[in-house]
Amino acid sequence: MPLVRRLFRARKLSPVEVLESQIARYEAVNDKVNCVTYTHFDDAIAAAKDSEQRYMDGTARELEGITVAVKDEHHDAGWIVTQGSKLLADNKMSAPDVIVARLKAAGCVLPIQTTVPELYLSGVTWSELWGVTRNPWNLEYAVGGSSGGSGAALAAGMSTLATGSDMGGSIRIPANFGAVYGFKPPVGRVPSGSLQYFLGTGPMARGFDDMVIMQNVLAGPSFTAPHVGPKLEMPLSYPGLSGMRIAYVENMGLAPVDTDTKAAMAQGVETLTSLGAIVETVEVDPGFGPDEVGEIFSKGGLGGPIGGDMVPFANRLDEMTSYGASFVKKAASGKYNGQTVSEFEQIVFDFYRRLGEQVYDKGYEAIVMPTICTPHVPADYDISKGGLVVDGQEVHPFGILALTAPWNFLNWCPVVDVPVTLSSKGVPIGMQIIGKSYEDLEVFRIAHAYAGRAQPMFTGNRFPDYRRG
């Protein structure tokens, strides 16, 4: 994106030309990928023409003319936000949310809204309302969720940036499957739609610099978001990694990791080591097991406002997806309440204490680990039914979130997801970079160095090829 902006300023490229090429891309491949809910091309063209004039006038703003795919959660006035559900098919918004307002104020062009799983409740994006969203790199496999449409739109070349949000891996898993960069900010950095602390909104982009610039636009206080603190401005360059100690944690015992992912992590670790970092394998016991991750999520989420928002849908379960209905039934059961939230918080405190003892007190400054246990998740995988097999071992149904959701339990920890390589079936594999509470700068420092040395995606023969199987 910095290159695009330089070309815009030099009048060697126009925001209108970029938008038109991305609209053409949408028309060429969206029937295969199915990652878009609504298009706003007329408004986007008008905005791109205004941006073109601003570059000529010398009044261009920070993200002038840059296109953004908007997750079906963030919205402008008059847009429909369905949350991937038939129950909200006509849910028209009366005003822009703070995320879209900030993007527009920075000069962004917003041509498309992108698909999500129903009520954002899965790590895979499909719904009764919008159908199955497929991975541009291999159409048999998932794009992740809940920001799956955003990740797919970026990978397919339909936009330059995309919005995401994350309450169990919903930025990082789509970033993993799309071979793009994604940032789950710590709670309090960016306004989000709820005060519940394991939710968060963040940027998705094809490159590190793009992600940083977008984060700086999204971040900071708002009178619509009393939980957001003073803005932390993130730089584009950082000190090197020489001598920095980083813990490689494979899975915390929460999910088996497949052969392709292990090989990818070895490649990611080698890249960090080549930059002077000291990366050592560390075993972490989080204090809970693979069968408990989903229940811990339910204790914290369904016992609070997320669960409360679901209860009104309990008399319309027959109109919902199987996974959506399963969560709504749990929310309406009366099992989750203030007591379960208290139990959740004790688990969170114990988990962070264990990280201190097992990682940070031993001198490690950050953690790297896989984003997901396998890249080969079917595009229509049902989290309520399971059946995912990793190297001959069936994974707990919630296992696709097992390596990401713990960092929502500890949502004060910043996490950047970076692309590493492609699997044996051409599906991207990513790596999480996890920091201590609110140490965003250290996480970005690692991601910056990594991005400068890693083999880049979207160049040479490393583009989505829409294969099957």
Side-chain angles (χ1 to χ4, degrees), residues 90-408:
D90 300 315
N91 183 34
K92 183 174 286 190
M93 312 310 292
S94 60
D97 74 346
V98 64
I99 297 302
V100 163
R102 287 181 174 178
L103 292 171
K104 291 177 69 175
C108 291
V109 175
L110 311 176
I112 56 176
Q113 291 173 261
T114 58
T115 53
V116 297
E118 187 167 38
L119 304 181
Y120 318 116
L121 291 172
S122 179
V124 176
T125 297
W126 62 268
S127 68
E128 299 292 344
L129 181 62
W130 297 110
V132 179
T133 300
R134 298 184 176 277
N135 196 320
W137 295 89
N138 188 324
L139 298 172
E140 295 295 326
Y141 294 105
V143 294
S146 63
S147 310
S150 286
L154 279 176
M158 298 182 199
S159 71
T160 304
L161 302 173
T163 70
S165 61
D166 197 313
M167 68 176 176
S170 295
I171 289 172
R172 291 159 287 154
I173 298 174
N176 173 95
F177 284 126
V180 302
Y181 288 76
F183 179 45
K184 180 200 76 65
V187 64
R189 289 282 187 243
V190 177
S192 59
S194 171
L195 297 180
Q196 186 134 356
Y197 58 69
F198 58 76
L199 298 175
T201 291
M204 301 176 69
R206 282 191 176 191
F208 173 80
D209 286 358
D210 303 23
M211 180 187 72
V212 175
I213 294 168
M214 185 177 179
Q215 170 63 15
N216 285 336
V217 168
L218 298 180
S222 164
F223 287 118
T224 67
H227 61 299
V228 177
K231 182 174 180 177
L232 177 65
E233 189 80 19
M234 305 302 291
L236 289 174
S237 61
Y238 298 81
L241 302 186
S242 180
M244 186 180 194
R245 296 186 68 204
I246 300 172
Y248 171 66
V249 177
E250 184 171 273
N251 61 1
M252 298 190 293
L254 300 177
V257 175
D258 77 356
T259 302
D260 281 4
T261 302
K262 288 180 180 178
M265 291 306 101
Q267 181 176 327
V269 167
E270 182 180 0
T271 299
L272 294 173
T273 301
S274 73
L275 291 161
I278 301 166
V279 186
E280 298 170 322
T281 299
V282 177
E283 298 293 332
V284 171
D285 175 6
F288 48 86
D291 295 344
E292 300 173 271
V293 176
E295 182 61 13
I296 294 169
F297 180 90
S298 296
K299 283 183 175 184
L302 301 185
I306 295 173
D309 288 344
M310 294 182 196
V311 171
F313 301 138
N315 61 350
R316 300 180 66 182
L317 297 177
D318 59 335
E319 301 175 63
M320 300 187 71
T321 57
S322 48
Y323 63 84
S326 71
F327 276 104
V328 170
K329 283 190 283 188
K330 291 177 75 172
S333 68
K335 177 181 177 181
Y336 302 97
N337 50 41
Q339 177 61 40
T340 61
V341 173
S342 176
E343 294 168 3
F344 169 80
E345 291 192 353
Q346 290 306 309
I347 292 168
V348 168
F349 282 119
D350 182 62
F351 180 24
Y352 200 57
R353 176 188 62 79
R354 288 167 177 264
L355 284 177
E357 293 174 351
Q358 299 168 36
V359 179
Y360 299 123
D361 286 351
K362 295 182 178 180
Y364 298 103
E365 299 176 63
I367 293 170
V368 294
M369 68 182 299
T371 309
I372 191 168
C373 59
T374 177
H376 303 138
V377 179
D380 59 354
Y381 177 75
D382 190 334
I383 195 172
S384 68
K385 297 178 180 177
L388 183 66
V389 176
V390 175
D391 287 355
Q393 181 179 348
E394 185 166 348
V395 179
H396 187 277
F398 211 81
I400 63 168
L401 303 172
L403 306 185
T404 52
W407 308 111
N408 296 91

